[in-house]
Amino acid sequence: MAFCLQKDHHYGMPKSSRKTTHKPHSTASKRISDLESRLDKLEETLFQTRKAAQNVETRLQNEILGLKLQIKEKDALIDTLKKSNTYLQTKLFGSQSEKKTVKALTTEEAEDSKSQRKKGQQPGSKGHGRSVKSVAKKVEVDLQVEQTCCPKCSTDFLLLEATKDSKLIEYHQFLEETTYKRQVAVSQCKCFGKVIKGADMPCKLFPRTDIGNSLWTHFLLGKYLFGVPTNRIQKALSLKELNLPLGTLNYGFKRIDGLLTSLYEQMQDHAKAADLWNADETSWRIMDAENRKFWLWVIASSDAAVYIMDQSRSAKVPKQFFEDSSGILVSDRFSAYKSLKELIKTAWCWVHVRRDFLAVFKGVKKHKTWAARWLQRIGKLFAVNHKRFKLFEAEKCSDSQWQKINEELVSLLEKFQKEFKREISQNKLDNIQLKILRSLNKHWAGLTLFASDCRIPMDNNRAERLLRGAVNLRKNSNGSGAAWSGQLAAKVLTLFHTWLINGLNPEALMEAFLDDNSMNCPAPDLKQYLPWRMSTARKKEFALPASYKRPA
């Protein structure tokens, strides 16, 4: 035992440094040699084990570090996905209105918000009275009293001249088949032999058709102005016992498409000559095309709205339209509008900026307060600019009030820019916040262009409203069945909305246009259908009813 303790004393020492005591007894010496050999092997095994354990520990530590980094990345991804999910849920299933004000953040603002008035008409306020309903055709129906004598003594009642009038507005939709009995005349002289002459043909688009121009107008108006697909109009007419083959309708629409081309091009040329436009685009479907996805563009000047159907969403479309133009284009921040030539200045839409902050306000809880402050700043900009525009409309651009409002707007813009630059420089924000503020900084020149010209709006709502009807039609009919049908949609939308912008009745004008382009009619003067070249008398003849609310 004492001998083993002595060996333990030398444990861990190099083999060369150990001092071995050789006893004269050969058996003990051999045993010592064996034990030393075993000890060397054990030490070698222990060394390798420790080395392996260190390697395993290092590898596990690296794996743990990698897993921690993965967990951090996954947590960030989960957080991003949660934000996206909340944003998409709000967008799909939440309220789409942007009119609601951001809730007050401070205690004082919260107390003030409680005292805000309720919606609707306020107690004691003067109402607007009954709406005036003007109907062109008025009919009177006499209703007789059923019993005009006393039920007990049978004495007749005295019938008074005065009546109790009750008004009802009725809607009667009916189809009418008109038979035109064309008079025929035969010559009685011998000058040219027997000559037979008949009265002129009634107005119709092509031979052997029994569909009148008023019915074609009904289809065009229902589809392209009110978004009702052709097959639904067909079904509605079948309730009136009129069955129209789809092939007949398609043939008629193709003829109309060719008739509208020249007028469409003239409206397009007029819009190109303007100096201020709104532009936007939306997707479209054309079923028989190789690439079914098309794009419907709208570019609107003050008195014309041009719709363009194209396969491309690239800068090719606006570049081609504005090739010989110069002025200011109001649009969203889509990249296609950023590559226009220098003669076209781009004014970016503040509503799209507001939507960036609104998405964070609704979808990212921890940044709600931050987003609310920016939304309030943007709201103040809109309010001040609205006051300035009202003075511009009233032609009060030279008085002191105008100067004061203008200075206030410039001051707000300077503070706005200073604040977002300060937040960017501090570098304490999340990526989603930095992305919005960097976009603001990048587009600042175009966002502030409205301050130099009162005609420039802060938003692009006009273009979005002009596309709203087309979007409803696309959703209801899933686009167009053929390429020519897509082009027809662009042409008819251009005509209808240009006429509406100028206060003209599209139904009456379209029917008159089809009548003028019917068979056996001379080529019409297209000036009669261009609002900026119409006479005052013709504008009155085709004026839009005051009850119709014009788009944009």
Side-chain angles (χ1 to χ4, degrees):
M1 188 69 183
F3 181 76
C4 290
L5 289 171
Q6 186 180 0
K7 291 301 293 179
D8 288 341
H9 176 71
H10 296 292
Y11 179 78
M13 294 174 61
K15 186 176 178 181
S16 59
S17 64
R18 294 183 192 137
K19 294 181 180 180
T20 307
T21 307
H22 298 282
K23 294 186 179 181
H25 200 284
S26 59
T27 306
S29 177
K30 185 179 179 180
R31 188 177 180 187
I32 289 169
S33 179
D34 291 342
L35 289 171
E36 286 180 348
S37 177
R38 286 178 62 189
L39 183 60
D40 290 339
K41 290 179 180 178
L42 288 171
E43 286 178 351
E44 182 67 22
T45 303
L46 180 62
F47 176 75
Q48 294 296 333
T49 304
R50 284 179 175 174
K51 186 176 180 180
Q54 287 178 353
N55 290 337
V56 170
E57 184 180 0
T58 304
R59 180 172 59 81
L60 289 175
Q61 285 179 349
N62 290 334
E63 287 182 3
I64 289 169
L65 184 61
L67 289 171
K68 284 181 177 179
L69 290 173
Q70 287 183 18
I71 290 170
K72 190 175 180 180
E73 290 174 359
K74 297 291 183 186
D75 286 342
L77 179 61
I78 288 169
D79 188 43
T80 303
L81 291 174
K82 281 182 177 179
K83 293 170 186 175
S84 300
N85 183 44
T86 307
Y87 169 69
L88 290 173
Q89 280 187 338
T90 305
K91 189 173 182 179
L92 290 173
F93 307 113
S95 173
Q96 296 298 310
S97 174
E98 296 180 5
K99 292 183 179 179
K100 292 184 179 179
T101 55
V102 180
K103 291 182 180 179
L105 300 174
T106 62
T107 309
E108 292 179 2
E109 289 172 338
E111 289 175 357
D112 291 341
S113 66
K114 292 179 182 177
S115 62
Q116 290 179 357
R117 70 173 195 169
K118 295 180 180 179
K119 292 182 178 179
Q121 187 173 340
Q122 304 303 305
S125 64
K126 185 179 179 181
H128 55 74
R130 284 181 174 270
S131 301
V132 178
K133 304 178 185 69
S134 57
V135 181
K137 186 178 179 181
K138 299 184 183 295
V139 178
E140 291 185 358
V141 178
D142 294 329
L143 298 178
Q144 305 297 326
V145 180
E146 291 184 2
Q147 187 177 3
T148 58
C149 63
C150 176
K152 187 174 182 180
C153 66
S154 300
T155 304
D156 291 337
F157 287 179
L158 176 63
L159 297 178
L160 304 178
E161 292 183 3
T163 57
K164 289 184 175 181
D165 296 342
S166 302
K167 292 183 179 181
L168 288 177
I169 298 175
E170 300 284 0
Y171 177 69
H172 299 291
Q173 186 180 19
F174 65 93
L175 290 166
E176 181 180 84
E177 184 180 51
T178 305
T179 302
Y180 292 90
K181 294 185 176 291
R182 298 164 57 208
Q183 191 178 42
V184 180
V186 181
S187 63
Q188 299 296 316
C189 64
K190 296 181 181 180
C191 298
F192 301 100
K194 291 291 183 181
V195 178
I196 301 175
K197 286 190 175 183
D200 291 338
M201 292 278 292
C203 294
K204 58 180 181 180
L205 287 181
F206 50 91
R208 301 180 63 185
T209 182
D210 54 359
I211 301 178
N213 291 337
S214 61
L215 192 51
W216 287 118
T217 303
H218 175 70
F219 272 98
L220 293 172
L221 201 75
K223 182 172 183 177
Y224 296 111
L225 192 59
F226 303 121
V228 184
T230 305
N231 67 319
R232 294 188 195 173
I233 302 175
Q234 270 184 297
K235 287 183 178 180
L237 291 173
S238 67
L239 292 174
K240 306 291 183 183
E241 301 182 0
L242 177 64
N243 294 313
L244 294 172
L246 187 60
T248 303
L249 294 175
N250 284 340
Y251 182 76
F253 285 149
K254 280 186 179 180
R255 295 290 293 262
I256 292 171
D257 178 49
L259 295 174
L260 298 178
T261 301
S262 181
L263 184 58
Y264 169 74
E265 289 174 351
Q266 290 196 33
M267 287 185 174
Q268 195 175 48
D269 291 340
H270 178 79
K272 289 178 181 179
D275 63 350
L276 178 63
W277 307 270
N278 291 81
D280 204 358
E281 73 292 327
T282 187
S283 60
W284 199 264
R285 293 287 184 274
I286 293 182
M287 297 306 160
D288 71 347
E290 291 182 7
N291 181 11
R292 291 187 174 185
K293 192 166 187 179
F294 276 64
W295 295 92
L296 180 65
W297 299 71
V298 62
I299 302 174
S301 64
S302 60
D303 57 356
V306 177
Y307 293 79
I308 302 170
M309 187 69 68
D310 201 281
Q311 259 186 312
S312 174
R313 202 192 178 196
S314 68
K316 180 194 79 173
V317 177
K319 277 183 177 179
Q320 187 175 354
F321 185 90
F322 294 112
E323 187 177 3
D324 299 318
S325 304
S326 63
I328 298 168
L329 175 65
V330 183
S331 68
D332 55 23
R333 296 161 295 178
F334 181 47
S335 58
Y337 304 116
K338 296 177 182 178
S339 55
L340 295 174
K341 60 182 183 178
E342 293 181 0
L343 290 175
I344 303 295
K345 295 181 180 179
T346 46
W348 307 121
C349 172
W350 272 93
V351 171
H352 284 77
V353 176
R354 186 179 184 275
R355 286 173 190 166
D356 292 340
F357 289 105
L358 195 63
V360 174
F361 180 80
K362 291 181 177 180
V364 188
K365 192 173 182 180
K366 68 176 183 177
H367 299 324
K368 195 169 185 177
T369 303
W370 174 84
R373 284 199 296 268
W374 283 106
L375 288 169
Q376 288 170 345
R377 292 183 184 116
I378 293 172
K380 196 168 184 181
L381 271 178
F382 270 99
V384 173
N385 189 60
H386 180 70
K387 291 178 183 177
R388 188 179 76 138
F389 184 73
K390 287 297 180 185
L391 291 174
F392 173 74
E393 277 189 324
E395 298 181 354
K396 296 180 179 179
C397 300
S398 57
D399 59 7
S400 59
Q401 190 178 2
W402 161 265
Q403 188 70 22
K404 184 179 178 183
I405 288 289
N406 214 35
E407 288 175 0
E408 184 181 359
L409 182 64
V410 172
S411 175
L412 282 173
L413 288 171
E414 289 175 353
K415 289 178 182 177
F416 201 99
Q417 184 183 24
K418 186 178 179 181
E419 184 61 26
F420 74 68
K421 283 192 172 183
R422 182 187 66 81
E423 290 194 8
I424 292 172
S425 63
Q426 286 180 348
N427 203 19
K428 295 179 181 179
L429 303 175
D430 286 351
N431 288 335
I432 192 170
Q433 296 169 292
L434 283 172
K435 185 179 178 182
I436 295 172
L437 296 183
R438 284 170 181 164
S439 175
L440 257 176
N441 190 36
K442 181 180 178 181
H443 299 96
W444 188 247
L447 286 169
T448 54
L449 200 59
F450 75 95
S452 60
D453 189 344
C454 289
R455 298 177 306 143
I456 304 172
M458 284 183 68
D459 54 59
N460 195 32
N461 291 351
R462 184 166 183 256
E464 291 185 358
R465 288 173 186 150
L466 285 169
L467 275 180
R468 189 171 297 166
V471 170
N472 290 335
L473 173 60
R474 182 197 67 204
K475 290 180 178 179
N476 291 338
S477 61
N478 204 23
S480 303
W484 67 265
S485 180
Q487 295 302 325
L488 174 64
K491 293 172 186 176
V492 176
L493 287 169
T494 298
L495 268 62
F496 280 176
H497 286 286
T498 299
W499 287 335
L500 285 170
I501 288 171
N502 291 276
L504 300 172
N505 190 334
E507 184 177 16
L509 274 170
M510 179 56 75
E511 188 173 347
F513 179 82
L514 295 181
D515 286 343
D516 286 349
N517 284 274
S518 295
M519 292 173 53
N520 304 322
C521 290
D525 183 7
L526 295 183
K527 295 177 184 177
Q528 300 297 315
Y529 299 95
L530 298 172
W532 41 89
R533 304 189 73 174
M534 277 186 191
S535 64
T536 306
R538 188 170 175 83
K539 285 183 178 180
K540 286 183 179 180
E541 181 186 355
F542 292 99
L544 195 66
S547 57
Y548 189 89
K549 187 177 180 181
R550 290 185 285 170

